[in-house]
Amino acid sequence: METYIKGTYKRCIFSSNDGYTIGLIKIKETDDQDLLEYIGKQFTFTGLFAGLNMDEDYTFYGNTIDNPKYGIQYKVNRYEKLMPEDKDGIIIFLSSDIFPKVGEKTAKLIVDTLGEDCLKKITEDYECLLKVPKMTEKKASEIQSRLIKYNESYETVIYLTNLGFGMKDSLKIYNHYLEDTVRAINNNPYELIDTIDSITFSKIDSLKDKFNIKNDDERRILAFIVNTIKNTCFITGDTYLEIDTIYNAIKSTYENDISIEKLNYYLMELNNLGKIIIEDNKIMLFSYYKCEDYVASLVYDLSNRDDIKIKDIDLKIEMLENFFNIKYNNEQKKAIKQALVKNFSIITGGPGTGKTTIIKGITQGYKMISGYSFDKLKERMVLLAPTGRAAKRMSEACLYPASTIHRYLRWNKETLEFGYNENNKCKAEFIIVDETSMIDIELMSNLFKALPINVKVVFIGDYNQLESVGPGNVLKDLIESDMINTIFLNEIYRQDQNSYITELAYLVNNGELTEGFLEKKDDYNFIKCDSNDILKGVTDVCKLAIKKGYDLKNIQVLAPMYKGINGIDNLNKVLQKVFNPPSDNKNETYDVDVIYRQGDKILQLENMPDDNVFNGDIGFIEKINGNEITVSFDGNKVKYKPKDYKAIKHGYAISVHKSQGSEFEIVVMPVVNEYKIMLYKKLVYTAITRAKKSLILLGDPLSFSKAAINKGNKDRKTLLKERLESKIISI
């Protein structure tokens, strides 16, 4: 239940550009039982604010929270400004930073001259201030102007919250439009979708009645079309669409008929407004156009800079071999050498080709060549990956810090912006990015925007794996442009030559699957069973693995779909009952039809850089206190309230897409006909390559063999390759 505190704002501890504030309030009054002992004392609060002023009175509404780092705090959900009512409060207010030319002496003169209702008088007529000794007309007018502006900002934020916007979005809207806020959103509330990243079409559309907007209002239709293009691109992975695709998508979702002629008219309007770009009947959101063009420009610049001269490079490669007590094959030598010499290079290969070995060689080689101290090296050489687990794997292999791209670029989940950007470049001289196939065009664009002009870049990945979740096919486009120096790793590294997992991956990728996949191997087994036996088969395999000494951290069930009897959701329910049944010693909490229990295996679904946890991370529920869940991600403890539950899911079974960037000792994957619409070569290949020591497939051999030759969906429609090629032609 929400409580309140009234008091005086005393000190700012921290404040960000987006309005997030940690501060101290001296409590005068409260109905929060936990805070009664703090009346007359200062207490820590946190929240989002349009602007707080020192020594000013406020009413905060919210609840106390127990921050694991900072202890008990008051989290503010909403707030009200209390205008000072007594003489001392008014003097403090008028002599605050709001009125830079009014000192304490002048403030006292104003109150003494005009009385304790002086703020009301000044708002109505600044000339009343001319009665104050030594007050000029210019100064009086400025005091009134600042007072009115101060009142308006608060009133505007309250107006927005009353419309139905949350405090966070209300602050973003006000900070963008300032005094023009009310006029702007009344003119066209759908414009907020373009200006405020966190505001969606559905949010504005739910408020359309408050703005008296009808279904056939052109403003709504234009926003609807843009939203349809965006959603369709996210589903398909395309960065551009053709008009027929857009037309069919609109027909299936819009409540009224729109003719193809009318759609053409609306598309031209959107083109004229700069919302979309139309190129040769290819229709692209302007944001995707900017991303592709930016990446193409930066890649071209990097690729055309002169190579770096490194004396005795072959000798240095030999020194690396001695350092690691290893013998590189010719492909690996070439990859390390070119990564150190070229300004931009790509290294691509399947499992067992030694990509990790190469990364270790590159990092140690750069350390050797640069001569940097370790502290300076950490600043100048940066190892990145799209997921937390991939970054951790990279760090463990290289014995060098690695980070997710979001964390390194200082992603702010409140503002949905990166701290490193085109106006604030990072200091890195050398960037190595692993699992590059997972990076979509928007994230790649943001990464390039943050890089300084003199940076060296190495991309490493397997472009035969699944494409990125978001639009784009960046790694493939870069490779196929033939513009970037690319090393293709084909030789299987010797310790993997006897692995059937590696062999199976190559057979699937090359379309050469034989009936040998039905034979049991040291590291592989295909268990034939029908759809009705999948659940029992999966649990039996997991039980046996645990009996052999493995734990759930090292056993991962993968599946292509969430729904159905053998889907991820049901697999998780069954596996939870088997491996973490109810117990009097285990607390529980609920979320719709999901039971979270102490000891549960958990998958993180969102990037939460402030908590050092990222999409794809896997942890275990350590504690449940009421409805607060504490999850341990390899010792990093993160707390989730009910409003945060959307960021987690049971992790006994996860999707193949979510497994990208991760490796597991044992992978168990059902393969049945009911999955057929999701069973295709890249998905199966990706699942296979997640297994380190053992791969167990269960189900229908025919479904698997069909999947191995099924190319799946059409190639993604992107223009990055063409934009790179056009850069060459234009020179």
Side-chain angles (χ1 to χ4, degrees):
M1 190 176 75
E2 195 174 66
T3 63
Y4 78 88
I5 55 176
K6 287 184 181 179
T8 306
Y9 175 45
K10 301 304 293 183
R11 185 163 71 87
C12 176
I13 297 172
F14 171 81
S15 182
S16 66
N17 292 332
D18 63 318
Y20 179 75
T21 301
I22 304 171
L24 293 176
I25 183 171
K26 187 175 181 180
I27 300 175
K28 295 180 178 179
E29 180 185 326
T30 182
D31 67 344
D32 192 312
Q33 296 301 307
D34 294 332
L35 297 181
L36 292 175
E37 63 181 290
Y38 291 95
I39 290 177
K41 300 177 183 176
Q42 294 185 16
F43 196 79
T44 305
F45 68 88
T46 68
L48 290 158
F49 300 89
L52 296 175
N53 295 287
M54 225 76 80
D55 295 316
E56 190 173 334
D57 288 345
Y58 295 88
T59 301
F60 294 159
Y61 301 91
N63 296 102
T64 53
I65 60 168
D66 188 3
N67 187 294
K69 221 180 238 186
Y70 304 108
I72 303 292
Q73 299 176 332
Y74 194 81
K75 186 177 181 182
V76 181
N77 300 325
R78 56 193 178 91
Y79 70 102
E80 295 176 357
K81 177 180 65 179
L82 300 174
M83 294 302 287
E85 296 174 350
D86 59 13
K87 181 177 178 180
D88 290 341
I90 297 169
I91 291 171
I92 291 170
F93 175 66
L94 286 171
S95 58
S96 69
D97 292 341
I98 301 168
F99 308 95
K101 295 182 180 179
V102 179
E104 189 176 336
K105 186 178 177 181
T106 302
K108 188 173 183 302
L109 280 172
I110 291 172
V111 179
D112 288 342
T113 304
L114 301 179
E116 293 185 7
D117 61 345
C118 60
L119 298 178
K120 183 174 181 291
K121 291 176 179 176
I122 295 168
T123 304
E124 294 172 350
D125 182 8
Y126 78 87
E127 289 186 353
C128 68
L129 282 167
L130 299 177
K131 298 175 185 176
V132 177
K134 297 183 181 180
M135 180 66 66
T136 65
E137 186 167 354
K138 183 181 178 182
K139 189 174 181 178
S141 177
E142 187 178 339
I143 292 171
Q144 185 199 46
S145 174
R146 287 182 173 272
L147 181 60
I148 291 172
K149 188 175 179 181
Y150 175 78
N151 290 330
E152 282 177 350
S153 67
Y154 174 74
E155 289 167 2
T156 302
V157 170
I158 297 304
Y159 165 77
L160 292 169
T161 58
N162 289 336
L163 278 176
F165 296 104
M167 179 61 75
K168 185 193 300 185
D169 286 338
S170 295
L171 288 166
K172 287 181 182 177
I173 295 167
Y174 179 77
N175 288 333
H176 182 83
Y177 292 102
L178 299 175
E179 64 271 8
D180 202 37
T181 298
V182 176
R183 187 207 61 79
I185 65 170
N186 280 307
N187 182 54
N188 186 5
Y190 290 96
E191 285 292 324
L192 294 176
I193 301 166
D194 300 320
T195 55
I196 311 298
D197 288 340
S198 57
I199 294 180
T200 62
F201 174 84
S202 58
K203 174 63 180 176
I204 299 298
D205 216 42
S206 69
L207 303 174
K208 68 179 186 295
D209 291 343
K210 294 185 178 183
F211 296 101
N212 295 315
I213 292 176
K214 308 298 181 186
N215 285 351
D216 60 354
D217 189 300
E218 184 168 300
R219 295 171 297 175
R220 179 178 184 258
I221 295 172
L222 292 175
F224 181 84
I225 293 170
V226 171
N227 188 63
T228 300
I229 295 172
K230 188 174 184 178
N231 289 342
T232 305
C233 285
F234 197 83
I235 292 168
T236 62
D238 300 330
T239 59
Y240 75 86
L241 303 174
E242 288 154 347
I243 190 166
D244 287 347
T245 306
I246 299 172
Y247 182 62
N248 291 330
I250 287 172
K251 273 181 67 177
S252 66
T253 52
Y254 192 61
E255 58 271 359
N256 300 321
D257 285 337
I258 295 180
S259 67
I260 193 76
E261 293 78 18
K262 199 69 174 172
L263 177 59
N264 268 308
Y265 162 77
Y266 289 133
L267 290 172
M268 288 307 300
E269 282 292 294
L270 288 168
N271 185 73
N272 294 335
L273 290 167
K275 302 290 181 71
I276 64 172
I277 296 287
I278 303 176
E279 298 180 325
D280 300 325
N281 295 316
K282 298 178 176 72
I283 297 152
M284 175 179 273
L285 292 176
F286 186 65
S287 59
Y288 292 158
Y289 165 80
K290 285 198 302 181
C291 287
E292 284 192 344
D293 191 61
Y294 196 92
V295 170
S297 297
L298 267 289
V299 168
Y300 179 82
D301 291 343
L302 278 170
S303 304
N304 283 277
R305 282 183 16 227
D306 293 337
D307 292 348
I308 295 165
K309 306 294 183 186
I310 300 176
K311 189 178 179 182
D312 300 325
I313 183 67
D314 291 321
L315 179 61
K316 286 180 169 61
I317 299 290
E318 288 182 25
M319 291 169 67
L320 290 174
E321 289 180 315
N322 293 331
F323 181 83
F324 290 112
N325 192 24
I326 196 173
K327 191 71 178 174
Y328 297 128
N329 62 37
N330 289 332
E331 287 178 344
Q332 292 171 326
K333 284 182 183 179
K334 189 177 179 182
I336 295 170
K337 185 188 297 186
Q338 297 209 19
L340 295 171
V341 171
K342 300 288 182 181
N343 289 296
F344 189 15
S345 59
I346 295 174
I347 301 166
T348 184
T353 53
K355 293 191 296 293
T356 301
T357 300
I358 289 168
I359 295 173
K360 289 167 67 177
I362 296 169
T363 55
Q364 184 62 30
Y366 186 72
K367 182 181 178 183
M368 182 196 303
I369 293 164
S370 70
Y372 288 148
S373 66
F374 188 69
D375 285 342
K376 190 169 183 180
L377 191 70
K378 282 194 297 183
E379 187 179 77
R380 302 298 183 181
M381 182 174 70
V382 179
L383 273 56
L384 301 175
T387 69
R389 289 183 69 86
K392 185 181 178 186
R393 206 175 69 236
M394 200 179 182
S395 181
E396 289 172 345
C398 300
L399 301 176
Y400 186 86
S403 168
T404 66
I405 298 172
H406 280 82
R407 186 170 180 83
Y408 178 70
L409 297 183
R410 300 178 179 178
W411 172 250
N412 187 317
K413 65 180 180 181
E414 301 293 342
T415 63
L416 304 181
E417 294 174 343
F418 291 101
Y420 282 139
N421 50 54
E422 51 195 325
N423 299 315
N424 182 35
K425 305 282 188 179
C426 69
K427 295 179 181 179
E429 293 175 357
F430 195 11
I431 296 274
I432 304 171
V433 186
D434 198 12
E435 300 286 354
T436 312
S437 63
M438 297 177 63
I439 304 175
D440 63 35
I441 189 63
E442 287 189 294
L443 183 56
M444 186 64 78
S445 175
N446 280 305
L447 174 60
F448 274 118
K449 284 176 183 176
L451 301 182
I453 194 167
N454 62 338
V455 74
K456 282 169 57 66
V457 177
V458 180
F459 284 169
I460 299 169
D462 182 356
Y463 83 118
N464 291 307
Q465 288 186 24
L466 287 168
E467 300 94 343
S468 58
V469 174
N473 202 357
V474 181
L475 183 62
K476 184 172 182 285
D477 286 345
L478 292 177
I479 291 171
E480 292 185 352
S481 73
D482 291 327
M483 212 175 132
I484 300 101
N485 179 76
T486 302
I487 307 296
F488 294 89
L489 304 174
N490 298 302
E491 187 176 338
I492 298 174
Y493 205 51
R494 59 180 180 260
Q495 59 253 50
D496 287 322
Q497 286 177 349
N498 297 320
S499 165
Y500 187 74
I501 296 173
T502 301
E503 183 181 340
L504 182 62
Y506 277 85
L507 290 171
V508 168
N509 189 49
N510 296 325
E512 299 172 355
L513 189 67
T514 67
E515 289 190 0
F517 81 89
L518 292 171
E519 300 172 7
K520 190 176 186 302
K521 306 291 194 301
D522 290 341
D523 60 351
Y524 168 82
N525 194 12
F526 193 112
I527 302 171
K528 294 182 186 178
C529 60
D530 63 33
S531 183
N532 296 325
D533 296 325
I534 288 293
L535 296 176
K536 184 178 183 305
V538 169
T539 54
D540 285 348
V541 168
C542 292
K543 285 178 180 177
L544 182 62
I546 288 172
K547 197 173 180 179
K548 289 183 176 182
Y550 294 95
D551 60 30
L552 282 173
K553 187 182 291 185
N554 299 316
I555 307 165
Q556 190 57 61
V557 179
L558 303 181
M561 297 173 65
Y562 283 93
K563 304 304 177 185
I565 190 167
N566 293 317
I568 294 166
D569 291 340
N570 198 48
L571 278 164
N572 271 316
K573 286 180 180 178
V574 171
L575 292 167
Q576 183 193 36
K577 288 177 183 175
V578 173
F579 297 110
N580 193 30
S583 167
D584 292 339
N585 299 322
K586 296 177 181 177
N587 290 335
E588 296 179 351
T589 189
Y590 302 85
D591 182 33
V592 194
D593 62 340
V594 177
I595 300 171
Y596 289 112
R597 185 174 297 130
Q598 195 174 334
D600 274 341
K601 188 176 185 179
I602 294 296
L603 172 71
Q604 179 72 18
L605 302 174
E606 299 177 3
N607 290 321
M608 294 167 52
D610 290 350
D611 295 302
N612 196 28
V613 61
F614 299 89
N615 188 356
D617 286 353
I618 291 175
F620 288 83
I621 295 179
E622 187 175 88
K623 183 170 69 173
I624 295 177
N625 185 12
N627 57 11
E628 184 181 77
I629 299 171
T630 301
V631 182
S632 175
F633 296 92
D634 294 323
N636 176 34
K637 297 175 184 179
V638 183
K639 294 186 177 183
Y640 301 84
K641 294 279 192 182
K643 65 180 178 63
D644 307 314
Y645 289 176
K646 65 181 187 303
I648 57 174
K649 193 178 185 71
H650 280 126
Y652 300 100
I654 66 175
S655 71
V656 180
H657 282 86
K658 286 292 184 185
S659 74
Q660 284 185 273
S662 301
E663 288 181 342
F664 308 96
E665 299 288 300
I666 300 172
V667 167
V668 182
M669 182 176 173
V671 185
V672 289
N673 191 54
E674 68 189 81
Y675 295 154
K676 64 182 178 182
I677 63 169
M678 288 294 294
L679 283 176
Y680 55 98
K681 181 192 288 190
K682 279 196 172 185
L683 184 134
V684 170
Y685 174 83
T686 302
I688 294 168
T689 57
R690 301 307 91 200
K692 289 173 68 177
K693 289 186 177 180
S694 183
L695 172 67
I696 298 97
L697 303 179
L698 306 94
D700 175 27
L702 183 61
S703 294
F704 181 75
S705 54
K706 284 182 177 178
I709 59 173
N710 177 14
K711 291 185 178 180
N713 299 330
K714 59 177 176 54
D715 289 337
R716 291 187 170 185
K717 295 177 180 177
T718 64
L719 292 173
L720 177 59
K721 178 184 172 184
E722 285 79 358
R723 297 198 194 286
L724 282 164
E725 291 169 348
S726 70
K727 298 290 180 186
I728 300 172
I729 295 168
S730 65
I731 299 301

